[in-house]
Amino acid sequence: MAIAQEGLAEFNEQNFDSDVLQHTGLTVVDFWSQSCVPCRQLVKVLKQLALEVSDGVQIGTVKAEDNIGLLDRYGVRSTPTLVFIKDGDVVETRTGVDRRQVLKKIVETHA
C-alpha cells in the first residue's frame, strides 16, 4: 500500500482491488482532485480522524484525474467524495466536507 504525502494511504486503479476491496474491515476512500479547495480542507480532517480510529480501519485517497475508471465504478460525480467500503462492499457515500465528529460517528457505525 502506497502512502500519500498527506500520511494517508494512496489508492489507484492498480492497487484498489487488493488494498481496498480485499481489506478485512472498513476503508474510507477520499476521491479528490488537484484543483479542489474543499478537498484540501477534507484531507486535514481525515488526517486527524486517522489518529482516532481503530487499527482495523484504513483511510486513503484516490486522485480523481488519474483514476477515471474508479470514478465511473463508484459513481463519483464531484469531489470531494468519500466512499466507505467494508469487506469489499460500499456501506455509505458522502459528498462534500463533513466535520470530523460526523465522520468519526460514521466510521464507528461501520467499523
Side-chain angles (χ1 to χ4, degrees):
M1 174 184 343
I3 303 298
Q5 289 181 341
E6 294 84 14
L8 302 173
E10 187 175 306
F11 305 125
N12 55 48
E13 291 177 359
Q14 289 73 38
N15 69 10
F16 196 86
D17 286 358
S18 62
D19 289 358
V20 176
L21 298 183
Q22 294 177 15
H23 173 72
T24 301
L26 182 66
T27 302
V28 181
V29 182
D30 171 28
F31 288 88
W32 67 282
S33 62
Q34 193 78 31
S35 61
C36 170
V37 174
C39 294
R40 285 178 256 172
Q41 295 171 317
L42 182 58
V43 80
K44 293 175 187 176
V45 172
L46 293 175
K47 285 169 59 176
Q48 293 172 344
L49 183 64
L51 298 172
E52 300 175 11
V53 296
S54 66
D55 290 339
V57 177
Q58 64 178 354
I59 301 175
T61 64
V62 171
K63 187 174 180 182
E65 297 91 340
D66 298 339
N67 298 282
I68 301 298
L70 289 175
L71 271 64
D72 290 342
R73 187 171 168 184
Y74 289 95
V76 175
R77 301 287 175 243
S78 63
T79 56
T81 294
L82 292 178
V83 178
F84 297 79
I85 299 174
K86 184 172 184 178
D87 301 330
D89 295 320
V90 174
V91 293
E92 190 157 341
T93 302
R94 308 276 299 186
T95 302
V97 178
D98 284 309
R99 293 185 344 262
R100 182 186 49 77
Q101 295 88 343
V102 171
L103 296 177
K104 186 175 181 182
K105 186 173 181 178
I106 294 169
V107 167
E108 289 170 348
T109 298
H110 297 295

